[in-house]
């Protein structure tokens, strides 16, 4: 059996997850049992959600246990199959973990077709990230043509897709992102109507300028002060899709804001949280539509591919420093 390199959780983090919380191990890859498949992982999806999965306590999935291989979505090639629906050489995605080889029940695997779109797109627009943007925006915000849509984390994996889908649906799209380069990319390459650099601009004032009739839909990836600034600019009957709160994930003092939540009452608006996995039964519908938009060029998938399983602890932190440009992927082969 080949050697399987792995990152395991060694301790729970306080604040930013530094290197000390991870443990590197090397073991023999596990032979699949009847009904299982062994996958040689090629690429791993690095997601802000992984920060939540290593906290103690109740969430939408159980926390990764101390000593366990760190949970991660990935993409790879079937190496050994003991299930009739999978054969060596098939390409699949699944929750594989931070390792070279995953041995998993066939039921958790999705076959993908690399003739349709390249590897990385299956981890981005056609993967969990794309499903998050599609359902979290269209289902939760229910946008109408002509409405003003604001998205935070706009240059990131989910946010960049949300803004583009808003344009496809005939809305005005305003992105909020960190830095001049990310903001000009949103407008010049992805077709956003405007972008606000939260690192140098007064977000609340900039929203008043760009959204004179108020914000009809807000897709929130970051929470905190930016959420508060958007809540101060809501249109009547606004819809907020609560996707994530990355500005809060590493704050050991807990969540701050929004202090002006009363605006929801004044503007007769609603906030709805969602978890992408709840839409699993409808992924096919989203994949078909997103594939069409990718083919027609209406939707662009920007990926940021870094190399080497051994570099995971440093690469993961780029999600929190904002050094990633688009979907952050770790290529391990
Ligand atoms: N509800 C669900 O089912 C679901 C599923 C997937 C993802 N999510 C959530 O969606 C959000 C985006 O995830 P993603 O995969 O697309 O990651 P991403 O946006 O590609 O990467 C994270 C980005 O967050 C921004 N950021 C980091 N710290 C920040 C801070 N303190 N304030 C403001 N922005 C900050 C950075 O961009 P800047 O350079 O612009 O700061 C960074 O590039 C996350 O909150 C994630 O947890 C939710």
């Amino acid at each position: 059996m080949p050697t399987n390199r792995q990152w395991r959780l060694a301790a729970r983090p306080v604040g930013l997850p530094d290197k000390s919380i991870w443990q590197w191990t090397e073991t023999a890859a596990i032979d699949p049992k009847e009904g299982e498949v062994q996958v040689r992982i090629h690429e791993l999806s690095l997601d802000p959600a992984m920060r939540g999965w290593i906290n103690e306590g109740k969430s939408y999935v159980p926390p990764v246990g101390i000593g366990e291989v760190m949970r991660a979505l990935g993409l790879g090639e079937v190496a050994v199959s003991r299930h009739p629906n999978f054969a060596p050489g098939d390409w699949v995605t699944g929750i594989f973990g931070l390792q070279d080889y995953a041995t998993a029940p066939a039921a958790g695997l999705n076959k993908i077709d690399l003739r349709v779109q390249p590897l990385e797109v299956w981890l981005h627009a056609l993967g969990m990230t794309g499903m998050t943007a599609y359902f979290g925006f269209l289902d939760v915000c229910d946008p109408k043509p002509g409405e003003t849509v604001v998205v935070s984390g706009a240059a990131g994996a989910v946010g960049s897709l949300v803004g583009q889908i808003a344009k496809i649906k005939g809305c005005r799209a305003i992105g909020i992102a960190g830095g001049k380069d990310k903001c000009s990319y949103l407008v010049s390459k992805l077709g956003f109507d405007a972008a606000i650099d939260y690192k140098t601009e007064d977000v609340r004032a900039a929203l008043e300028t760009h959204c004179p009739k108020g914000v009809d839909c807000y897709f929130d990836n970051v929470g905190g002060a930016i959420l508060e600034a958007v809540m101060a600019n809501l249109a009547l009957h606004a819809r907020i899709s609560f996707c994530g709160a990355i500005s809060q994930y590493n704050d050991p003092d807990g969540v701050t804001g929004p202090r002006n939540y009363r605006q929801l009452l004044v503007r007769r608006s609603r906030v709805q949280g969602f978890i992408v996995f709840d839409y699993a039964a409808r992924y096919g519908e989203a994949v078909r539509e997103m594939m069409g938009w990718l083919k027609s060029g209406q939707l662009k998938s920007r990926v940021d591919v870094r190399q080497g399983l051994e570099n995971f602890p440093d690469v993961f932190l780029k999600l929190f420093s904002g050094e990633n440009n688009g979907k952050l992927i770790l290529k391990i082969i």
Side-chain angles (χ1 to χ4, degrees), residues 12 52-64:
R12 302 226 174 265
W53 297 342
I54 55 180
N55 285 337
E56 193 71 72
K58 257 189 169 173
S59 188
Y60 59 96
V61 284
V64 176

Side-chain angles (χ1 to χ4, degrees), residues 46-49 60 128-129 132 153-159 176-179 182 198-199 219-222 226 242-249 274-277 318-328:
L46 300 193
D47 296 289
Y60 59 96
M128 184 275 286
T129 305
T132 303
V158 175
I176 304 174
K182 286 189 178 182
Y198 76 89
K199 290 189 172 162
F219 191 95
D220 189 16
N221 282 315
V222 305
I226 293 177
F242 180 13
C243 175
I246 196 167
S247 73
Q248 315 286 297
Y249 292 173
F274 73 95
I275 295 294
V276 63
F277 302 127
K318 297 192 184 304
L319 290 169
F320 306 104
S321 62
E323 286 168 82
N324 63 310
N325 284 298
K327 173 72 206 167
L328 189 60

Side-chain angles (χ1 to χ4, degrees), residues 150-154 175-178 196-199 201-204 207 218-234 240 246-248 256-258 260:
V150 171
V151 52
S152 54
I176 304 174
I196 299 166
D197 175 3
Y198 76 89
K199 290 189 172 162
E201 292 182 63
D202 175 337
V203 177
R204 185 172 169 164
L207 284 168
Y218 174 48
F219 191 95
D220 189 16
N221 282 315
V222 305
I226 293 177
L227 172 59
E228 217 166 77
V230 179
M231 294 252 281
N233 282 283
L234 294 179
I240 299 176
I246 196 167
S247 73
Q248 315 286 297
T256 49
N260 58 349

Side-chain angles (χ1 to χ4, degrees), residues 34-37 81-87 90 106 111:
E34 203 52 46
E36 288 186 339
V37 168
S81 176
R82 298 199 61 195
H83 190 282
N85 293 354
F86 293 89
D90 284 347
K111 267 194 212 180

